[in-house]
Amino acid sequence: MSSCGAVVGGVSLDRVDIAKEAVIQGVVHHDGKPASIGYVRLHDANDEFTAEVPISSQGEFRFFAAPGNWTLVALVPGATKRAEVSAELGQITDLDLLVA
Amino acid sequence: MSRNEVLVDAEWAIAHLADEKVVFVEVDEDTAAYDTNHISGAVRLDWRSDLQDGTRRDFVSKEAFEALLGKKGISADHTVVLYGGNNNWFAAYAYWYFKLYGHKDVRLLDGGRKKWELESRELVSEVVELPVTTYVAQEQDTSIRAFRDEVIKAIGVENLVDVRSPDEYAGRLLAPAHLPQEQSQVAGHIPTAANIPWSKTAAEDGSFKSDEDLKAIYETAGVDFSKDTIAYCRIGERSAHSWFVLHELLGAKNVRNYDGSWTEYGSLVGVPVALGDEPGQA
């Protein structure tokens, strides 16, 4: 039985059929460089928490959402950043989250 | 059970890092996180290789659990402090598992690894090996574990609490949104189950909300605390977190975790399934 747990940086896209997924992924930046410690939370259109992943050592994260509007919340020590994003089936939506 | 008996904060943890009566145990969804760093003196439990039967879908036997904890240097007299990532998701699962086998003094580090990291507290890479013990477990306490036939009988009778995300509950997603969505079972939820996502019980830093806030979350969603309760999710991990809230923090009686959860129920032939955002009829 596979875990419900989150893989650091998000699950690899290897062996994933992108046509059946609405992927949201990106990199968290803090102080002008990729953050190495932090988390990204995915909230649905009602701002309800849906999922969370620890970022990779290069600040990377990835979600497999449903099509629609979502909010990303990046957490790093001492700072947070929210960003709106729209996901579509069969597409990979890439974005950078810049945490001041 | 009061909050002080089942939760510790960072200050308590730091004060007990060298306490021989206390063992810190990291249990993470990312089992490699421990290799990078961990709380000083902590040992690791791997939720998959240590806590799951390698052949059947079930937990390890009492004898295997005794051998595992003995090898890790944990005795039945130890105060075990569990912590992990993602709001203590897997640590709460391990907490429930320890209680299933009758460990007396188990606690969670409030906020887990996330709060510890976000507060920039010390993590080390040195791995400790504690002296081997002879651990004696109890028979499984099935008063906190629900099985599928009990769940079917509970439809429309007991509180059923689906702790997955709203999109999983409604059938729009088959797995959490950090995982690929292709699965074998049908989508939806057990009829009459209320959707109270596990994540509602945790603050953004991973710590648990106040007892008053937690009680209001469940009551607002229709949980009747005079009834028995079964919590479920996809494979019983997130619902162990909600079991902890209901049973250990709020002191609700007769709360069971259905560890078969949606991957079992959603694959059963002939059982009722509800789709959409409403609980549905019995």
Side-chain angles (χ1 to χ4, degrees), chain B:
Chain B
M1 195 68 74
S2 79
R3 181 171 284 244
N4 289 340
E5 293 173 87
V6 296
L7 281 180
V8 304
D9 60 18
E11 284 67 34
W12 188 97
I14 290 165
H16 290 82
L17 287 178
D19 187 340
E20 292 183 352
K21 296 175 184 167
V22 178
V23 178
F24 289 84
V25 182
E26 177 160 330
V27 191
D28 248 312
E29 63 269 46
D30 172 21
T31 55
Y34 177 91
D35 293 328
T36 305
N37 51 34
H38 46 265
I39 292 177
S40 178
V43 298
R44 165 172 55 187
L45 279 181
D46 185 319
W47 77 271
R48 190 197 308 264
S49 63
D50 289 335
L51 299 178
Q52 307 296 317
D53 184 289
T55 306
R56 301 178 305 126
R57 184 182 171 193
D58 206 344
F59 301 138
V60 299
S61 67
K62 173 175 173 283
E63 293 72 25
F65 187 70
E66 290 174 335
L68 169 69
L69 294 202
K71 190 175 71 177
K72 295 288 180 182
I74 300 170
S75 74
D77 296 332
H78 270 125
T79 295
V80 173
V81 177
L82 297 157
Y83 74 95
N86 212 336
N87 308 333
N88 271 329
W89 178 344
F90 280 72
Y93 175 66
Y95 180 103
W96 175 74
Y97 201 114
F98 270 69
K99 284 296 183 187
L100 195 68
Y101 277 123
H103 195 92
K104 282 197 171 55
D105 192 356
V106 196
R107 308 178 193 197
L108 289 180
L109 172 63
D110 201 12
R113 186 179 173 107
K114 181 166 79 171
K115 190 168 192 290
W116 192 275
E117 282 185 327
L118 292 175
E119 291 173 349
S120 300
R121 297 186 185 276
E122 183 186 35
L123 294 166
V124 302
S125 56
E126 293 79 25
V127 173
V128 296
E129 292 220 3
L130 302 178
V132 170
T133 70
T134 302
Y135 187 91
V136 179
Q138 308 301 309
E139 295 300 329
Q140 276 196 21
D141 176 7
T142 52
S143 72
I144 63 171
R145 187 181 188 193
F147 295 91
R148 63 174 180 265
D149 291 344
E150 298 165 334
V151 172
I152 294 167
K153 283 181 189 166
I155 295 173
V157 179
E158 298 181 23
N159 298 310
L160 286 170
V161 180
D162 185 320
V163 313
R164 296 173 299 161
S165 65
D167 282 320
E168 291 173 87
Y169 175 85
R172 292 185 288 271
L173 289 178
L174 274 160
H178 53 257
L179 296 177
Q181 296 299 312
E182 291 180 80
Q183 304 284 332
S184 58
Q185 74 276 4
V186 300
H189 59 267
I190 301 172
T192 74
N195 183 212
I196 310 171
W198 71 285
S199 52
K200 278 184 178 292
T201 63
E204 201 164 73
D205 67 3
S207 61
F208 288 101
K209 293 179 179 172
S210 70
D211 288 353
E212 293 72 26
D213 287 349
L214 294 173
K215 195 165 188 213
I217 288 167
Y218 288 103
E219 286 182 336
T220 302
V223 169
D224 178 349
F225 280 99
S226 68
K227 291 183 178 180
D228 295 349
T229 300
I230 295 173
Y232 74 94
C233 56
R234 193 179 77 101
I235 59 173
E237 295 160 350
R238 285 174 283 180
S239 47
H241 188 278
S242 296
W243 174 88
F244 179 86
V245 172
L246 285 160
H247 193 266
E248 301 295 271
L249 295 182
L250 296 180
K253 305 294 182 196
N254 300 323
V255 183
R256 287 173 290 169
N257 179 25
Y258 172 36
D259 56 282
S261 274
W262 192 253
T263 50
E264 177 176 76
Y265 190 93
S267 299
L268 294 175
V269 175
V271 296
V273 169
L275 280 172
D277 296 310
E278 299 302 320
Q281 301 295 314

Side-chain angles (χ1 to χ4, degrees), chain A residues 14-83:
Chain A
D14 295 347
R15 301 167 63 190
V16 171
D17 184 354
I18 299 297
K20 296 178 180 175
E21 307 288 349
V23 177
I24 300 169
Q25 65 181 25
V27 176
V28 177
H29 298 265
H30 188 213
D31 292 336
K33 58 187 179 191
S36 58
I37 295 175
Y39 297 80
V40 179
R41 296 160 68 88
L42 181 71
H43 291 206
D44 68 15
N46 297 315
D47 209 25
E48 179 69 52
F49 170 94
T50 299
E52 177 180 292
V53 293
I55 59 174
S56 74
S57 57
Q58 287 79 44
E60 299 153 322
F61 64 90
R62 179 175 294 122
F63 294 106
F64 299 85
N69 296 320
W70 300 87
T71 299
L72 294 169
V73 182
L75 308 175
V76 300
T80 65
K81 171 74 177 180
R82 292 174 69 93

